[in-house]
Amino acid sequence: MMDERQAVAAFSALGQEHRLRIVRQLVTAGPDGMAAGVLAEAVGVLGTNLSFHLKELSHAGLITSRREGRSIIYSAAYPDLSALIQFLMRDCCQGHPEVCTPAVAALAACCTPAGDTVHA
């Protein structure tokens, strides 16, 4: 479970437009991730600046990296991103589920495989 200190670090890292774009691009890329050069081009960041942003996101626990041959592949840290969302939503309802329903529905809709429908 994410604590407040971890959440602050994550939000601080995401509070910069290039880093937010990087995380969103890696989430879109899926578990296979992306090579650094491809990622830099996709988000419009110079390779020289990319490593700084990747380091900040890695320290915040939002991305992971692995070596494949001569490339370093970056991926979204899905468990930590999920923990960040859970941290935000943990006390959402306070006995009033209608407060959280739009957020839950939005998450369910984005996670439904193509061709499936969400049933309320």
Side-chain angles (χ1 to χ4, degrees):
M1 187 178 311
M2 182 170 283
D3 63 27
E4 190 171 281
R5 180 190 56 77
Q6 293 166 312
V8 167
F11 284 121
S12 178
L14 290 171
Q16 200 281 340
E17 67 181 294
H18 295 307
R19 292 194 289 265
L20 181 60
R21 280 190 213 143
I22 290 166
V23 170
R24 293 189 73 200
Q25 184 67 44
L26 291 175
V27 166
T28 302
D32 291 339
M34 299 178 79
V38 175
L39 180 58
E41 186 175 320
V43 297
V45 175
L46 295 175
T48 54
N49 293 331
L50 183 69
S51 63
F52 169 76
H53 294 303
L54 292 171
K55 179 183 66 101
E56 293 296 314
L57 292 167
S58 181
H59 284 297
L62 300 175
I63 65 169
T64 62
S65 63
R66 68 184 184 281
R67 183 169 290 282
E68 283 187 9
R70 294 174 39 157
S71 297
I72 298 178
I73 307 298
Y74 292 91
S75 302
Y78 292 100
D80 293 78
L81 289 167
S82 294
L84 183 59
I85 294 167
Q86 185 179 25
F87 176 85
L88 281 176
M89 301 301 292
R90 187 177 305 142
D91 303 317
C92 173
C93 299
Q94 297 296 312
H96 303 281
E98 68 277 3
V99 173
C100 297
T101 299
V104 172
L107 285 172
C110 78
C111 297
T112 302
D116 288 354
T117 56
V118 176
H119 300 284

